[in-house]
Amino acid sequence: MKLPVIKHLTQFIEENDEDYVVETIETLEALTEVSSLKDEELDVIGELISNMYGAIEVNKMIKEGMPKKEAVNSFMQRVLGSIDK
């Protein structure tokens, strides 16, 4: 996951609508079923999908009242904590 990408997507969600990101995730997930995709291409699609899900999660925390900076930091700490385990 890339923090700058998650921040940018979170800003996009705030300015537009979360539905755009959800629909993009669905489209990218459908693309993963193309049998001719190379592993590297699937890795890129997977990274994009995980960043989008991260932005949705951050946006959820913001909607629940957490300040944006704190929401981003909290999310990244959870991600790093799950990697360490």
Side-chain angles (χ1 to χ4, degrees), residues 22-45:
V22 171
E23 290 170 1
T24 303
I25 290 170
E26 292 169 357
T27 302
L28 290 171
E29 286 175 342
L31 280 174
T32 63
E33 298 172 13
V34 175
S35 60
S36 61
L37 286 177
K38 298 175 185 172
D39 287 342
E40 298 84 21
E41 294 166 328
L42 287 171
D43 289 344
V44 170
I45 292 171

PDB file of all heavy atoms in Angstrom, residues 22-45:
ATOM      1  N   VAL A  22     -15.741   2.335  -5.479  1.00  0.00           N
ATOM      2  CA  VAL A  22     -16.294   0.976  -5.365  1.00  0.00           C
ATOM      3  C   VAL A  22     -16.491   0.367  -6.750  1.00  0.00           C
ATOM      4  O   VAL A  22     -16.134  -0.793  -6.994  1.00  0.00           O
ATOM      5  CB  VAL A  22     -17.627   0.987  -4.568  1.00  0.00           C
ATOM      6  CG1 VAL A  22     -18.313  -0.364  -4.631  1.00  0.00           C
ATOM      7  CG2 VAL A  22     -17.368   1.397  -3.124  1.00  0.00           C
ATOM      8  N   GLU A  23     -17.031   1.147  -7.673  1.00  0.00           N
ATOM      9  CA  GLU A  23     -17.244   0.643  -9.034  1.00  0.00           C
ATOM     10  C   GLU A  23     -15.919   0.365  -9.738  1.00  0.00           C
ATOM     11  O   GLU A  23     -15.804  -0.592 -10.502  1.00  0.00           O
ATOM     12  CB  GLU A  23     -18.090   1.632  -9.834  1.00  0.00           C
ATOM     13  CG  GLU A  23     -19.526   1.676  -9.340  1.00  0.00           C
ATOM     14  CD  GLU A  23     -20.345   2.808  -9.933  1.00  0.00           C
ATOM     15  OE1 GLU A  23     -19.812   3.585 -10.761  1.00  0.00           O
ATOM     16  OE2 GLU A  23     -21.522   2.915  -9.571  1.00  0.00           O
ATOM     17  N   THR A  24     -14.921   1.175  -9.475  1.00  0.00           N
ATOM     18  CA  THR A  24     -13.597   0.942 -10.061  1.00  0.00           C
ATOM     19  C   THR A  24     -13.003  -0.345  -9.520  1.00  0.00           C
ATOM     20  O   THR A  24     -12.405  -1.131 -10.274  1.00  0.00           O
ATOM     21  CB  THR A  24     -12.667   2.137  -9.785  1.00  0.00           C
ATOM     22  OG1 THR A  24     -13.268   3.324 -10.313  1.00  0.00           O
ATOM     23  CG2 THR A  24     -11.305   1.931 -10.409  1.00  0.00           C
ATOM     24  N   ILE A  25     -13.162  -0.573  -8.228  1.00  0.00           N
ATOM     25  CA  ILE A  25     -12.686  -1.832  -7.626  1.00  0.00           C
ATOM     26  C   ILE A  25     -13.357  -3.015  -8.311  1.00  0.00           C
ATOM     27  O   ILE A  25     -12.689  -3.996  -8.676  1.00  0.00           O
ATOM     28  CB  ILE A  25     -12.954  -1.856  -6.108  1.00  0.00           C
ATOM     29  CG1 ILE A  25     -12.054  -0.862  -5.387  1.00  0.00           C
ATOM     30  CG2 ILE A  25     -12.756  -3.265  -5.545  1.00  0.00           C
ATOM     31  CD1 ILE A  25     -12.419  -0.648  -3.923  1.00  0.00           C
ATOM     32  N   GLU A  26     -14.662  -2.939  -8.483  1.00  0.00           N
ATOM     33  CA  GLU A  26     -15.390  -4.032  -9.133  1.00  0.00           C
ATOM     34  C   GLU A  26     -14.876  -4.274 -10.551  1.00  0.00           C
ATOM     35  O   GLU A  26     -14.731  -5.428 -10.987  1.00  0.00           O
ATOM     36  CB  GLU A  26     -16.885  -3.731  -9.149  1.00  0.00           C
ATOM     37  CG  GLU A  26     -17.511  -3.762  -7.763  1.00  0.00           C
ATOM     38  CD  GLU A  26     -18.929  -3.222  -7.725  1.00  0.00           C
ATOM     39  OE1 GLU A  26     -19.441  -2.748  -8.772  1.00  0.00           O
ATOM     40  OE2 GLU A  26     -19.534  -3.261  -6.637  1.00  0.00           O
ATOM     41  N   THR A  27     -14.584  -3.191 -11.268  1.00  0.00           N
ATOM     42  CA  THR A  27     -14.065  -3.311 -12.629  1.00  0.00           C
ATOM     43  C   THR A  27     -12.689  -3.968 -12.625  1.00  0.00           C
ATOM     44  O   THR A  27     -12.420  -4.893 -13.415  1.00  0.00           O
ATOM     45  CB  THR A  27     -13.974  -1.919 -13.295  1.00  0.00           C
ATOM     46  OG1 THR A  27     -15.272  -1.327 -13.293  1.00  0.00           O
ATOM     47  CG2 THR A  27     -13.454  -2.023 -14.716  1.00  0.00           C
ATOM     48  N   LEU A  28     -11.815  -3.512 -11.733  1.00  0.00           N
ATOM     49  CA  LEU A  28     -10.473  -4.094 -11.652  1.00  0.00           C
ATOM     50  C   LEU A  28     -10.531  -5.564 -11.235  1.00  0.00           C
ATOM     51  O   LEU A  28      -9.771  -6.391 -11.753  1.00  0.00           O
ATOM     52  CB  LEU A  28      -9.602  -3.295 -10.682  1.00  0.00           C
ATOM     53  CG  LEU A  28      -9.206  -1.900 -11.157  1.00  0.00           C
ATOM     54  CD1 LEU A  28      -8.531  -1.122 -10.022  1.00  0.00           C
ATOM     55  CD2 LEU A  28      -8.297  -1.973 -12.370  1.00  0.00           C
ATOM     56  N   GLU A  29     -11.425  -5.892 -10.310  1.00  0.00           N
ATOM     57  CA  GLU A  29     -11.563  -7.293  -9.904  1.00  0.00           C
ATOM     58  C   GLU A  29     -12.012  -8.155 -11.072  1.00  0.00           C
ATOM     59  O   GLU A  29     -11.545  -9.283 -11.241  1.00  0.00           O
ATOM     60  CB  GLU A  29     -12.535  -7.409  -8.729  1.00  0.00           C
ATOM     61  CG  GLU A  29     -11.935  -6.917  -7.418  1.00  0.00           C
ATOM     62  CD  GLU A  29     -12.912  -6.906  -6.258  1.00  0.00           C
ATOM     63  OE1 GLU A  29     -14.146  -6.941  -6.483  1.00  0.00           O
ATOM     64  OE2 GLU A  29     -12.438  -6.845  -5.103  1.00  0.00           O
ATOM     65  N   ALA A  30     -12.896  -7.619 -11.905  1.00  0.00           N
ATOM     66  CA  ALA A  30     -13.341  -8.361 -13.089  1.00  0.00           C
ATOM     67  C   ALA A  30     -12.181  -8.559 -14.068  1.00  0.00           C
ATOM     68  O   ALA A  30     -12.068  -9.617 -14.698  1.00  0.00           O
ATOM     69  CB  ALA A  30     -14.499  -7.631 -13.765  1.00  0.00           C
ATOM     70  N   LEU A  31     -11.310  -7.570 -14.173  1.00  0.00           N
ATOM     71  CA  LEU A  31     -10.157  -7.680 -15.073  1.00  0.00           C
ATOM     72  C   LEU A  31      -9.189  -8.773 -14.645  1.00  0.00           C
ATOM     73  O   LEU A  31      -8.482  -9.345 -15.479  1.00  0.00           O
ATOM     74  CB  LEU A  31      -9.410  -6.348 -15.147  1.00  0.00           C
ATOM     75  CG  LEU A  31      -9.993  -5.289 -16.057  1.00  0.00           C
ATOM     76  CD1 LEU A  31      -9.234  -3.983 -15.904  1.00  0.00           C
ATOM     77  CD2 LEU A  31      -9.971  -5.742 -17.500  1.00  0.00           C
ATOM     78  N   THR A  32      -9.130  -9.071 -13.363  1.00  0.00           N
ATOM     79  CA  THR A  32      -8.199 -10.096 -12.889  1.00  0.00           C
ATOM     80  C   THR A  32      -8.543 -11.481 -13.436  1.00  0.00           C
ATOM     81  O   THR A  32      -7.718 -12.384 -13.377  1.00  0.00           O
ATOM     82  CB  THR A  32      -8.149 -10.171 -11.346  1.00  0.00           C
ATOM     83  OG1 THR A  32      -9.431 -10.561 -10.844  1.00  0.00           O
ATOM     84  CG2 THR A  32      -7.708  -8.849 -10.746  1.00  0.00           C
ATOM     85  N   GLU A  33      -9.726 -11.625 -13.989  1.00  0.00           N
ATOM     86  CA  GLU A  33     -10.143 -12.907 -14.547  1.00  0.00           C
ATOM     87  C   GLU A  33      -9.654 -13.128 -15.978  1.00  0.00           C
ATOM     88  O   GLU A  33      -9.845 -14.199 -16.537  1.00  0.00           O
ATOM     89  CB  GLU A  33     -11.664 -13.016 -14.473  1.00  0.00           C
ATOM     90  CG  GLU A  33     -12.171 -12.978 -13.032  1.00  0.00           C
ATOM     91  CD  GLU A  33     -13.683 -12.898 -12.937  1.00  0.00           C
ATOM     92  OE1 GLU A  33     -14.364 -13.124 -13.954  1.00  0.00           O
ATOM     93  OE2 GLU A  33     -14.169 -12.603 -11.836  1.00  0.00           O
ATOM     94  N   VAL A  34      -9.026 -12.109 -16.572  1.00  0.00           N
ATOM     95  CA  VAL A  34      -8.483 -12.252 -17.922  1.00  0.00           C
ATOM     96  C   VAL A  34      -7.286 -13.199 -17.856  1.00  0.00           C
ATOM     97  O   VAL A  34      -6.309 -12.930 -17.164  1.00  0.00           O
ATOM     98  CB  VAL A  34      -8.063 -10.872 -18.502  1.00  0.00           C
ATOM     99  CG1 VAL A  34      -7.387 -11.040 -19.841  1.00  0.00           C
ATOM    100  CG2 VAL A  34      -9.269  -9.953 -18.604  1.00  0.00           C
ATOM    101  N   SER A  35      -7.380 -14.298 -18.570  1.00  0.00           N
ATOM    102  CA  SER A  35      -6.353 -15.343 -18.460  1.00  0.00           C
ATOM    103  C   SER A  35      -5.004 -14.953 -19.055  1.00  0.00           C
ATOM    104  O   SER A  35      -3.979 -15.521 -18.684  1.00  0.00           O
ATOM    105  CB  SER A  35      -6.853 -16.626 -19.126  1.00  0.00           C
ATOM    106  OG  SER A  35      -7.118 -16.391 -20.507  1.00  0.00           O
ATOM    107  N   SER A  36      -4.984 -13.984 -19.939  1.00  0.00           N
ATOM    108  CA  SER A  36      -3.722 -13.619 -20.588  1.00  0.00           C
ATOM    109  C   SER A  36      -2.900 -12.597 -19.803  1.00  0.00           C
ATOM    110  O   SER A  36      -1.805 -12.230 -20.223  1.00  0.00           O
ATOM    111  CB  SER A  36      -3.997 -13.082 -21.993  1.00  0.00           C
ATOM    112  OG  SER A  36      -4.800 -11.925 -21.924  1.00  0.00           O
ATOM    113  N   LEU A  37      -3.397 -12.142 -18.659  1.00  0.00           N
ATOM    114  CA  LEU A  37      -2.639 -11.177 -17.862  1.00  0.00           C
ATOM    115  C   LEU A  37      -1.410 -11.839 -17.256  1.00  0.00           C
ATOM    116  O   LEU A  37      -1.451 -12.981 -16.808  1.00  0.00           O
ATOM    117  CB  LEU A  37      -3.499 -10.597 -16.733  1.00  0.00           C
ATOM    118  CG  LEU A  37      -4.562  -9.593 -17.138  1.00  0.00           C
ATOM    119  CD1 LEU A  37      -5.365  -9.162 -15.919  1.00  0.00           C
ATOM    120  CD2 LEU A  37      -3.950  -8.384 -17.815  1.00  0.00           C
ATOM    121  N   LYS A  38      -0.315 -11.099 -17.254  1.00  0.00           N
ATOM    122  CA  LYS A  38       0.928 -11.585 -16.654  1.00  0.00           C
ATOM    123  C   LYS A  38       0.882 -11.344 -15.147  1.00  0.00           C
ATOM    124  O   LYS A  38       0.104 -10.520 -14.658  1.00  0.00           O
ATOM    125  CB  LYS A  38       2.114 -10.834 -17.255  1.00  0.00           C
ATOM    126  CG  LYS A  38       2.258 -11.048 -18.741  1.00  0.00           C
ATOM    127  CD  LYS A  38       3.364 -10.192 -19.301  1.00  0.00           C
ATOM    128  CE  LYS A  38       3.399 -10.328 -20.817  1.00  0.00           C
ATOM    129  NZ  LYS A  38       4.322  -9.388 -21.440  1.00  0.00           N
ATOM    130  N   ASP A  39       1.742 -12.045 -14.431  1.00  0.00           N
ATOM    131  CA  ASP A  39       1.797 -11.898 -12.974  1.00  0.00           C
ATOM    132  C   ASP A  39       2.059 -10.456 -12.559  1.00  0.00           C
ATOM    133  O   ASP A  39       1.463  -9.963 -11.596  1.00  0.00           O
ATOM    134  CB  ASP A  39       2.866 -12.808 -12.373  1.00  0.00           C
ATOM    135  CG  ASP A  39       2.462 -14.274 -12.387  1.00  0.00           C
ATOM    136  OD1 ASP A  39       1.256 -14.560 -12.544  1.00  0.00           O
ATOM    137  OD2 ASP A  39       3.364 -15.124 -12.238  1.00  0.00           O
ATOM    138  N   GLU A  40       2.952  -9.786 -13.281  1.00  0.00           N
ATOM    139  CA  GLU A  40       3.272  -8.396 -12.956  1.00  0.00           C
ATOM    140  C   GLU A  40       2.039  -7.502 -13.104  1.00  0.00           C
ATOM    141  O   GLU A  40       1.821  -6.590 -12.306  1.00  0.00           O
ATOM    142  CB  GLU A  40       4.397  -7.857 -13.850  1.00  0.00           C
ATOM    143  CG  GLU A  40       5.713  -8.586 -13.702  1.00  0.00           C
ATOM    144  CD  GLU A  40       5.796  -9.853 -14.559  1.00  0.00           C
ATOM    145  OE1 GLU A  40       5.051 -10.001 -15.554  1.00  0.00           O
ATOM    146  OE2 GLU A  40       6.612 -10.724 -14.204  1.00  0.00           O
ATOM    147  N   GLU A  41       1.251  -7.751 -14.126  1.00  0.00           N
ATOM    148  CA  GLU A  41       0.036  -6.964 -14.341  1.00  0.00           C
ATOM    149  C   GLU A  41      -0.983  -7.222 -13.236  1.00  0.00           C
ATOM    150  O   GLU A  41      -1.633  -6.293 -12.749  1.00  0.00           O
ATOM    151  CB  GLU A  41      -0.556  -7.285 -15.719  1.00  0.00           C
ATOM    152  CG  GLU A  41       0.343  -6.843 -16.857  1.00  0.00           C
ATOM    153  CD  GLU A  41      -0.026  -7.434 -18.202  1.00  0.00           C
ATOM    154  OE1 GLU A  41      -0.518  -8.576 -18.255  1.00  0.00           O
ATOM    155  OE2 GLU A  41       0.190  -6.732 -19.211  1.00  0.00           O
ATOM    156  N   LEU A  42      -1.096  -8.476 -12.838  1.00  0.00           N
ATOM    157  CA  LEU A  42      -2.004  -8.814 -11.735  1.00  0.00           C
ATOM    158  C   LEU A  42      -1.536  -8.165 -10.436  1.00  0.00           C
ATOM    159  O   LEU A  42      -2.353  -7.717  -9.634  1.00  0.00           O
ATOM    160  CB  LEU A  42      -2.097 -10.330 -11.563  1.00  0.00           C
ATOM    161  CG  LEU A  42      -2.901 -11.064 -12.634  1.00  0.00           C
ATOM    162  CD1 LEU A  42      -2.723 -12.573 -12.480  1.00  0.00           C
ATOM    163  CD2 LEU A  42      -4.362 -10.682 -12.561  1.00  0.00           C
ATOM    164  N   ASP A  43      -0.227  -8.094 -10.236  1.00  0.00           N
ATOM    165  CA  ASP A  43       0.310  -7.440  -9.042  1.00  0.00           C
ATOM    166  C   ASP A  43      -0.062  -5.959  -9.010  1.00  0.00           C
ATOM    167  O   ASP A  43      -0.432  -5.428  -7.957  1.00  0.00           O
ATOM    168  CB  ASP A  43       1.834  -7.583  -8.972  1.00  0.00           C
ATOM    169  CG  ASP A  43       2.285  -8.993  -8.657  1.00  0.00           C
ATOM    170  OD1 ASP A  43       1.459  -9.811  -8.184  1.00  0.00           O
ATOM    171  OD2 ASP A  43       3.485  -9.289  -8.884  1.00  0.00           O
ATOM    172  N   VAL A  44       0.015  -5.299 -10.155  1.00  0.00           N
ATOM    173  CA  VAL A  44      -0.333  -3.878 -10.236  1.00  0.00           C
ATOM    174  C   VAL A  44      -1.814  -3.683  -9.944  1.00  0.00           C
ATOM    175  O   VAL A  44      -2.209  -2.808  -9.167  1.00  0.00           O
ATOM    176  CB  VAL A  44       0.047  -3.286 -11.611  1.00  0.00           C
ATOM    177  CG1 VAL A  44      -0.542  -1.888 -11.785  1.00  0.00           C
ATOM    178  CG2 VAL A  44       1.550  -3.260 -11.780  1.00  0.00           C
ATOM    179  N   ILE A  45      -2.641  -4.521 -10.542  1.00  0.00           N
ATOM    180  CA  ILE A  45      -4.081  -4.428 -10.299  1.00  0.00           C
ATOM    181  C   ILE A  45      -4.373  -4.672  -8.824  1.00  0.00           C
ATOM    182  O   ILE A  45      -5.171  -3.960  -8.205  1.00  0.00           O
ATOM    183  CB  ILE A  45      -4.863  -5.411 -11.200  1.00  0.00           C
ATOM    184  CG1 ILE A  45      -4.755  -4.976 -12.670  1.00  0.00           C
ATOM    185  CG2 ILE A  45      -6.328  -5.498 -10.769  1.00  0.00           C
ATOM    186  CD1 ILE A  45      -5.306  -5.987 -13.663  1.00  0.00           C
TER     187      ILE A  45
END
